[in-house]
Structure formats: structure tokens, C-alpha cells
Amino acid sequence: MGAAVNVLTAPAAILSTPADEVDPADPAIVSLAADLITTMRASPGCVGLAAPQVGVSAQVFCVDVTGHPKAVTTHGAFVLCNAKVVEASRWRPGREGCMSVPDLTGDVKRAARVVVEGLRPGTGESITITTDAFEARALQHEIDHCAGKLFLDRVAGAHAIHVRKVYL
């Protein structure tokens, strides 16, 4: 069981810096994975969290869209290390929010179907996830965090940024 940790907000420099690849067997990465899951679960409305958001330069993130009204395909809660999108198709615009940008949302065009490859923390087992809709969006959002990008870097312009109306 991990610990809930503080989530950084923009303009924290680590959020705009590409994170380091990791050794998924490193006990510190296994601990980080547990902290990410615990923090995500302790944060209402949160469906994903990446290591840079908690101040760690590591390509590690968790996702769990289970029960979200926009979810179609779900794989439950999982953590991936050094993940990459290897296939992307059916690009669609959609509204996104982020714990690291708490007062804004934005319209971001992302693939509605993706294949993502990554490594499981602890074992280093190679994992391939094929998904769609909201889970695909969440995966791309978290992979962006690991690459030093926020959803604000992906919006089409100022007209696509909105003041958050609902706080969960």
C-alpha cells in the first residue's frame, strides 16, 4: 500500500521536462507505483496520475477509468513504466482536465483508439494495452506527462481553453 503524496501544479518546472526512463524492477519504482495508485484513488475524479506530477522524473504512470461515464473499454487500475503509443487512430476532439492544472480544462484532439506498450513495475513484464475512447485519452494524457507535456500544450489555441466549472 502506497502513500498519498502532494500533486504539483503548473508552472512547476518538472511538469515541462521529459522524464527519465526507469528500471521497472527497482524497488523505488515499485514504491512510486503504489504511491501513484494511492494518490489517484484519494483524489476525487482522478483517472490517472504520472510520476512528474508528484515531483519524480520517471516515466511511470497509473490509470483507472473504471466506472467513468465516458469509458467504453476498461482495463481496471494499472501502472506502466516507459510506455509508448505504438498505434493511434480515429482522432477526435475532447475536453480534458488535469490535477496539475486545477482551474482550467481544454479541448484536445487525441486518438480514440490506441495500442500502448510498457513495462509492469516489479516484474518488468512487457504489457500491451489496446483500448479506445476515454481510456485511450487517459493513456495519451499520462504519456504526455512523462514527455514533459500538459494538455495545454495540445490545445488548438486560446479559444480551446476553458475555466473549470465543476470541481469533483
Side-chain angles (χ1 to χ4, degrees):
M1 181 78 178
V5 294
N6 289 331
V7 176
L8 302 177
T9 56
I14 196 168
L15 296 173
S16 59
T17 305
D20 299 323
E21 285 201 356
V22 300
D23 172 359
D26 182 337
I29 296 304
V30 175
S31 179
L32 171 63
D35 291 350
L36 290 172
I37 291 281
T38 299
T39 304
M40 177 180 65
R41 288 190 170 143
S43 306
C46 183
V47 296
L49 192 63
Q53 292 181 272
V54 298
V56 180
S57 179
Q59 291 185 27
V60 181
F61 65 84
C62 64
V63 167
D64 186 1
V65 301
T66 305
H68 193 282
K70 293 180 183 175
V72 177
T73 301
T74 63
H75 289 86
F78 59 89
V79 179
L80 291 177
C81 301
N82 308 329
K84 305 281 185 245
V85 175
V86 295
E87 290 181 35
S89 61
R90 292 188 268 168
W91 295 82
R92 307 268 190 283
R95 184 71 53 94
E96 292 186 21
C98 180
M99 289 181 63
S100 293
V101 187
D103 298 325
L104 302 172
T105 61
D107 300 323
V108 179
K109 192 172 187 178
R110 296 210 190 258
R113 183 189 173 282
V114 296
V115 177
V116 172
E117 293 177 351
L119 303 174
R120 185 183 309 275
T123 65
E125 172 190 1
S126 181
I127 303 293
T128 300
I129 294 177
T130 301
T131 193
D132 57 20
F134 190 67
E135 190 174 64
R137 180 169 295 277
L139 276 164
Q140 291 166 90
H141 181 107
E142 299 311 327
I143 289 169
D144 271 359
H145 275 301
C146 292
K149 297 197 176 303
L150 295 171
F151 75 86
L152 294 173
D153 298 313
R154 299 264 186 215
V155 297
H159 67 281
I161 300 172
H162 311 279
V163 175
R164 184 184 293 272
K165 292 185 171 83
V166 176
Y167 290 87
L168 298 173

